């Protein structure tokens, strides 16, 4: 079934030559593995790069998580400190409204707060907030809306530390605040110790270059954005949130991204990497171009190799095809120049042997045909001579016995000319004028023998044909048939006409008699035997007609030969056609 499909495909696109088939085969065999290898390599490279980017992104978010946890943990350790004498005294005096005596403690606390700010970049403010909203910070003393501030806070995983989402501080700075409760031993109520962290700290922690379109963001457990390079999105619910931020490839605003995330247990935040898939795949351009260039180069080499191999294989076959065609057109002088020792060279040797053998057979056949024609001529002469000579000599003897010496002399002269022209010095080809003289002598002798029971006319319309050569004894056998099978069986006065002329560059002879004629069925049979459409096992049947016809065909080709026409009881016409290209 597959083979039939391939054959139908080849026939449909008209792929017939061996060279074309070889080129296509070489291209398919050579190019298909290259394309498969290129495609496989490209996919492997693309997968490797994607894995590398994913691993790199995961490593970055893990590193950010560690840096963030380290940063936050240090602040949490400060906020979760044990009882501090200065803070306790400051809180006690502040709650007692003894602001004059708490100044020395406030100065010491401000000094600690400012030292810590200097040690932790991005730490914007450290403050103590009382339950009535009073806040003592590194910047001074002021009041805040405590209930609104508490509403922002949510606990971390441990529940001891609280964190706020990004908001604008009292001094209109974008910060997040880490808050811890402080329970002084000597105070009436607890206070809140807090640290404001500038969002630029998160920006610095996520400052890794993944590409122009790639970025990092931070979101809390609810998916609310804590940090984003586009500040207007801070505080919004992330569109990427789906019960967390599982690693995946997503489409966002018409762009493809590779999302990688990690979760910080100390903060309860997600650190998310958004690597642009387009930028990642842009790194494949080099590999893609390299693959295309390599494939194109290999394809060009395969095409050149295919052309060379197909030409080297098909050229001797085409040469053999050409010479075989010439040999089929009877050009047996062809010969293949053999080089190499492959199957095609062996085929060429066999072809040359075959041509040599054919030439030998042709030469042998020509010799045999010449010998056959000579034997046929001898056979024809032998058929003519015995009875003809015997009857003619018997007639001459009768004339001499009757002392009719003049007529006997004419008969002897005619008989001598007849045999001299028949011999023609052993030549097979004679001039038409000699062939006409031969027929005249024959008709003169036959007319004399048969008591002038018939007449004859020889009419040559184109006298220039008289100097052309034709095989001897072409006309005499036909004339003999006209006498013995046409005129003598009838009782009426007979007439034989021998007419010669040129037409369409061919020489024609017509031998016409008004004798007994031939039936239509027999005429049809004779013509079929002469054209080869009908074979006969009786070699003596129509021997004279077949002899003349075959000799003409052998000498001048298949267009030459005899045709017979006849009307029963009226006449018979035998037409001899000689292709003048063979005449001389």
């Amino acid at each position: 079934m597959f083979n039939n499909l391939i054959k139908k495909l080849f026939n449909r696109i008209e792929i017939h030559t061996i060279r074309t088939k070889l080129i296509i085969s070489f291209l398919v065999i050579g190019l298909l593995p290259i394309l498969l290898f290129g495609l496989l390599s490209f996919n492997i490279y693309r997968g490797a790069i994607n894995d590398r980017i994913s691993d790199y992104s995961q490593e970055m978010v893990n590193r950010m998580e560690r840096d963030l946890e380290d940063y936050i943990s240090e602040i949490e350790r400060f906020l979760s400190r044990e009882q501090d004498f200065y803070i306790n005294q400051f809180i006690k005096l502040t709650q007692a409204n003894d602001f004059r005596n708490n100044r020395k403690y406030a100065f010491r606390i401000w000094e600690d707060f400012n030292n810590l700010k200097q040690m932790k970049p991005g730490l914007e403010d450290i403050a103590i907030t009382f339950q009535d909203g009073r806040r003592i910070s590194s910047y001074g003393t002021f009041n805040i809306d405590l209930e609104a501030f508490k509403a922002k806070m949510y606990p971390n995983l441990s529940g001891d530390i609280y964190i706020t989402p990004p908001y604008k501080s009292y001094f209109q700075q974008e910060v997040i605040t880490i808050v811890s409760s402080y329970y002084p031993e000597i105070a009436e109520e607890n206070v809140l110790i807090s640290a404001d962290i500038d969002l630029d700290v998160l920006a610095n922690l996520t400052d890794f270059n993944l590409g122009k379109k790639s970025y990092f963001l931070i979101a809390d457990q609810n998916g609310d954005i804590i940090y984003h390079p586009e500040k207007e999105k801070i505080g919004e619910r992330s569109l990427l949130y789906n019960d967390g931020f599982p690693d995946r490839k997503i489409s966002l605003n018409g762009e493809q991204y590779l999302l990688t995330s990690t979760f910080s247990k100390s903060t309860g935040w997600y650190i998310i990497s958004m690597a642009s898939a387009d930028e990642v795949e842009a790194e494949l351009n080099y590999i893609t171009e390299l693959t295309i260039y390599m494939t194109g180069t290999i394809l060009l080499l395969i095409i050149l190799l295919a052309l060379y191999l197909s030409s080297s294989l098909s050229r001797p076959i085409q040469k053999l095809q050409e010479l075989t065609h010439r040999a089929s057109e009877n050009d047996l002088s062809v010969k293949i120049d053999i080089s190499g020792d492959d199957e095609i060279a062996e085929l060429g040797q066999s072809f040359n042997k075959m041509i040599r053998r054919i030439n030998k057979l042709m030469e042998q056949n020509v010799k045999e045909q010449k010998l056959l024609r000579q034997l046929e001529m001898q056979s024809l002469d032998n058929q003519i001579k015995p009875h003809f000579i015997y009857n003619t000599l018997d007639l001459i003897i009768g004339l001499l016995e009757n002392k009719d010496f003049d007529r006997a002399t004419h008969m002897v002269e005619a008989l001598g000319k007849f045999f001299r022209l028949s011999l023609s010095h052993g030549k097979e080809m004679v001039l038409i004028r000699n062939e006409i003289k031969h027929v005249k002598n024959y008709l003169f002798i036959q007319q004399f023998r048969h008591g002038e029971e018939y007449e004859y006319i020889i009419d040559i319309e184109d006298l220039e044909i008289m100097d052309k050569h034709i095989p001897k004894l072409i006309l005499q056998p036909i004339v003999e048939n006209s006498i013995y099978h046409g005129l003598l069986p009838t009782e009426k006065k007979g007439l034989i006409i021998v007419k010669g002329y040129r037409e369409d560059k061919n020489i024609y002879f017509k031998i016409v008699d008004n004798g007994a004629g031939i039936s239509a069925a027999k005429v049809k049979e004779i013509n079929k035997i002469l054209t080869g459409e009908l074979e006969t096992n009786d070699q003596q049947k129509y021997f004279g007609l077949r002899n003349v016809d075959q000799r003409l065909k052998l000498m001048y080709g298949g267009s030459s030969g005899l045709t017979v026409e006849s009307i029963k009881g009226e006449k018979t016409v035998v037409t001899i056609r000689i292709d003048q290209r063979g005449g001389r």
Side-chain angles (χ1 to χ4, degrees):
M1 180 177 179
F2 181 74
N3 291 335
N4 293 334
L5 181 62
I6 294 296
K7 289 180 180 178
K8 288 181 180 179
L9 179 63
F10 272 28
N11 290 333
R12 178 169 293 182
I13 58 180
E14 297 183 353
I15 300 175
H16 299 305
T17 63
I18 292 178
R19 185 169 184 267
T20 305
K21 293 178 181 178
L22 287 174
I23 290 174
I24 293 177
S25 299
F26 287 139
L27 288 178
V28 171
I29 294 173
L31 185 59
L32 188 59
I34 296 301
L35 292 177
L36 291 177
F37 175 77
L39 183 61
L40 181 62
S41 300
F42 179 78
N43 288 331
I44 292 175
Y45 292 150
R46 181 172 62 180
I49 289 178
N50 286 335
D51 292 342
R52 188 187 70 185
I53 294 299
S54 297
D55 293 342
Y56 178 73
S57 299
Q58 189 66 55
E59 181 182 349
M60 290 299 100
V61 294
N62 291 338
R63 179 177 175 181
M64 292 175 197
E65 178 206 3
R66 291 193 300 270
D67 292 344
L68 180 62
E69 288 186 349
D70 291 343
Y71 186 89
I72 299 298
S73 295
E74 290 184 17
I75 295 176
E76 288 180 350
R77 282 195 298 272
F78 170 77
L79 297 179
S80 302
R81 64 172 60 192
E82 298 294 332
Q83 297 296 319
D84 183 278
F85 173 77
Y86 295 105
I87 293 177
N88 288 340
Q89 291 299 321
F90 176 79
I91 293 172
K92 178 180 179 182
L93 294 173
T94 300
Q95 290 177 342
N97 296 320
D98 188 357
F99 297 106
R100 186 177 60 182
N101 292 320
N102 71 359
R103 288 179 181 175
K104 60 179 179 180
Y105 301 108
F107 178 79
R108 182 61 182 268
I109 293 172
W110 288 339
E111 186 179 23
D112 290 343
F113 285 176
N114 280 291
N115 288 336
L116 184 60
K117 283 175 58 179
Q118 294 297 325
M119 293 173 60
K120 297 299 294 181
L123 187 60
E124 185 63 29
D125 191 16
I126 300 175
I128 297 175
T129 306
F130 295 91
Q131 294 298 326
D132 58 1
R134 287 181 300 163
R135 171 170 285 186
I136 308 299
S137 77
S138 59
Y139 290 105
T141 302
F142 52 90
N143 292 321
I144 65 169
D145 185 348
L146 185 60
E147 295 302 323
F149 179 72
K150 287 183 177 181
K152 295 186 180 75
M153 299 188 312
Y154 57 88
N156 68 356
L157 295 181
S158 66
D160 297 331
I161 299 295
Y162 294 83
I163 301 177
T164 68
Y167 70 99
K168 286 190 176 183
S169 67
Y170 182 83
F171 301 101
Q172 299 301 308
Q173 293 176 322
E174 290 285 344
V175 297
I176 59 171
T177 301
I178 300 176
V179 184
S180 177
S181 296
Y182 185 79
Y183 300 93
E185 295 178 351
I186 58 175
E188 298 178 356
E189 58 183 7
N190 68 312
V191 298
L192 301 178
I193 298 180
S194 61
D196 293 345
I197 299 174
D198 196 329
L199 285 185
D200 288 342
V201 171
L202 301 182
N204 293 333
L205 289 175
T206 58
D207 187 18
F208 292 95
N209 184 21
L210 284 178
K212 293 182 179 179
K213 297 180 181 179
S214 302
Y215 59 93
F216 293 90
L217 61 95
I218 300 175
D220 62 20
Q221 299 179 58
N222 298 320
D224 294 333
I225 297 175
I226 294 176
Y227 170 75
H228 195 287
E230 299 177 18
K231 293 186 177 181
E232 62 272 13
K233 293 185 178 181
I234 295 176
E236 297 180 358
R237 178 63 57 87
S238 175
L239 298 176
L240 310 175
Y241 182 74
N242 183 17
D243 292 332
F245 294 88
D247 295 351
R248 63 193 186 275
K249 187 175 183 178
I250 61 171
S251 177
L252 185 65
N253 298 326
E255 297 284 344
Q256 296 290 322
Y257 290 93
L258 298 177
L259 186 152
T260 307
S261 68
T262 189
F263 183 71
S264 172
K265 294 181 179 180
S266 64
T267 61
W269 293 346
Y270 289 97
I271 297 93
I272 303 144
S273 166
M274 297 290 288
S276 173
D278 293 337
E279 292 181 344
V280 171
E281 293 180 357
E283 296 186 22
L284 292 171
N285 289 340
Y286 172 75
I287 298 174
T288 302
E289 293 176 0
L290 181 62
T291 302
I292 292 174
Y293 290 149
M294 289 180 62
T295 303
T297 302
I298 294 173
L299 175 60
L300 179 61
L301 293 176
I302 290 175
I303 291 175
L304 294 176
L305 182 61
L307 291 174
Y308 171 75
L309 291 177
S310 62
S311 297
S312 63
L313 291 174
S314 63
R315 192 183 302 113
I317 296 177
Q318 290 174 342
K319 184 64 176 179
L320 181 60
Q321 178 191 23
E322 177 188 350
L323 296 180
T324 304
H325 178 72
R326 287 172 56 187
S328 68
E329 297 293 330
N330 297 325
D331 182 4
L332 298 179
S333 63
V334 296
K335 181 181 179 182
I336 295 179
D337 295 329
I338 300 171
S339 59
D341 55 357
D342 55 9
E343 291 83 354
I344 298 177
E346 185 176 346
L347 185 61
Q349 292 176 350
S350 299
F351 177 81
N352 288 338
K353 290 180 181 178
M354 180 186 70
I355 292 297
R356 288 196 297 269
R357 180 63 177 165
I358 290 174
N359 283 323
K360 288 181 180 179
L361 291 175
M362 290 288 290
E363 292 175 2
Q364 183 178 351
N365 185 60
V366 169
K367 293 178 181 179
E368 289 177 353
Q369 289 297 326
K370 287 182 178 179
L371 180 59
L372 179 62
R373 287 200 299 271
Q374 291 174 359
L375 293 175
E376 288 176 345
M377 288 296 296
Q378 292 176 4
S379 176
L380 184 61
D381 289 343
N382 291 334
Q383 287 184 11
I384 295 171
K385 290 177 182 178
H387 295 89
F388 181 71
I389 294 173
Y390 174 78
N391 292 330
T392 304
L393 291 177
D394 189 51
L395 177 60
I396 294 172
I397 291 171
L399 292 173
L400 292 174
E401 288 177 348
N402 293 326
K403 297 184 179 181
D404 190 351
F405 300 115
D406 291 335
R407 295 180 68 184
T409 301
H410 290 310
M411 284 294 293
V412 171
E413 289 177 352
L415 184 62
K417 291 179 181 178
F418 174 80
F419 283 115
R420 185 165 54 251
L421 293 171
S422 296
L423 294 173
S424 63
H425 304 288
K427 296 180 180 178
E428 186 177 348
M429 302 296 291
V430 297
L431 291 172
I432 291 178
R433 66 174 68 254
N434 291 334
E435 183 70 8
I436 296 298
K437 290 178 181 179
H438 183 265
V439 171
K440 283 183 178 180
N441 288 318
Y442 179 76
L443 285 170
F444 173 78
I445 295 170
Q446 291 286 35
Q447 186 185 42
F448 194 89
R449 283 180 55 203
H450 297 128
E452 299 183 354
E453 295 179 0
Y454 52 84
E455 296 180 354
Y456 62 87
I457 298 173
I458 297 179
D459 178 20
I460 305 300
E461 294 181 358
D462 301 310
L463 295 179
E464 66 271 16
I465 70 172
M466 297 293 279
D467 293 323
K468 298 292 183 180
H469 285 78
I470 59 174
K472 67 181 179 179
L473 296 179
I474 291 297
L475 301 177
Q476 184 268 329
I478 311 303
V479 172
E480 181 179 355
N481 283 342
S482 296
I483 294 172
Y484 286 99
H485 300 291
L487 300 181
L488 294 182
T490 63
E491 296 180 355
K492 60 183 179 181
K493 184 69 174 180
L495 175 64
I496 294 177
I497 300 175
V498 178
K499 184 177 182 180
Y501 60 94
R502 184 199 300 271
E503 184 179 296
D504 295 333
K505 298 184 179 180
N506 294 312
I507 295 175
Y508 290 88
F509 291 99
K510 285 186 181 292
I511 294 90
V512 184
D513 69 78
N514 63 346
I518 309 172
S519 65
K522 196 170 184 179
V523 169
K524 186 176 182 181
E525 178 187 27
I526 293 171
N527 285 325
K528 282 190 174 182
I529 290 175
L530 294 177
T531 57
E533 296 179 38
L534 182 65
E535 293 184 359
T536 177
N537 294 325
D538 186 358
Q539 297 300 319
Q540 297 301 318
K541 193 173 186 179
Y542 314 125
F543 178 79
L545 293 174
R546 288 192 296 108
N547 180 281
V548 173
D549 182 74
Q550 291 174 4
R551 288 164 59 208
L552 290 174
K553 282 182 169 58
L554 287 171
M555 183 66 68
Y556 298 101
S559 62
S560 300
L562 305 183
T563 56
V564 179
E565 302 173 78
S566 184
I567 299 176
K568 183 68 175 178
E570 293 186 13
K571 67 175 181 178
T572 299
V573 179
V574 177
T575 303
I576 300 175
R577 182 177 186 269
I578 300 175
D579 189 337
Q580 196 175 359
R581 288 177 298 178
R584 294 181 292 173

